[in-house]
Amino acid sequence: MIRGYMNFICDDCNNTFHALNIEYGTTAMSVSMPYPNCNSRHTYLPNWHILGFYPFGNNREVYKRIWRRMDKEESKFDS
């Protein structure tokens, strides 16, 4: 489901950019949108750290697991 536009941060070059906010599966997470300048898909929403937890599922450590899964899937298609 498309939830509008949000700011994302590129994990590779640390730049912020504005892109579509699309639901990741049926979770509160957002799909990592590619950063147009370096074409990296290792992007995430800034942390909304409230009262010691991440209520909207945008913890960077969680996105690292998603990126590993995405990279593994991409490598299947490269073979």
Side-chain angles (χ1 to χ4, degrees), residues 33-76:
M33 301 304 288
Y35 180 51
N37 291 353
C38 67
N39 208 29
S40 171
R41 290 195 55 95
H42 290 197
T43 61
Y44 60 98
L45 294 172
N47 290 335
W48 292 2
H49 187 261
I50 299 172
L51 301 175
F53 67 98
Y54 300 89
F56 300 106
N58 51 6
N59 183 342
R60 185 171 169 263
E61 296 302 316
V62 175
Y63 274 101
K64 285 183 178 182
R65 283 186 254 144
I66 292 171
W67 298 332
R68 279 194 295 272
R69 200 174 310 140
M70 284 176 11
D71 293 343
K72 190 175 180 181
E73 289 297 319
E74 284 179 14
S75 66
K76 286 182 185 178

Side-chain angles (χ1 to χ4, degrees), residues 7-18 33-38 40 42-46:
N7 288 327
F8 286 81
I9 298 174
C10 177
D11 193 55
D12 294 340
C13 61
N14 220 21
N15 289 322
T16 303
F17 66 102
H18 202 65
M33 301 304 288
Y35 180 51
N37 291 353
C38 67
S40 171
H42 290 197
T43 61
Y44 60 98
L45 294 172

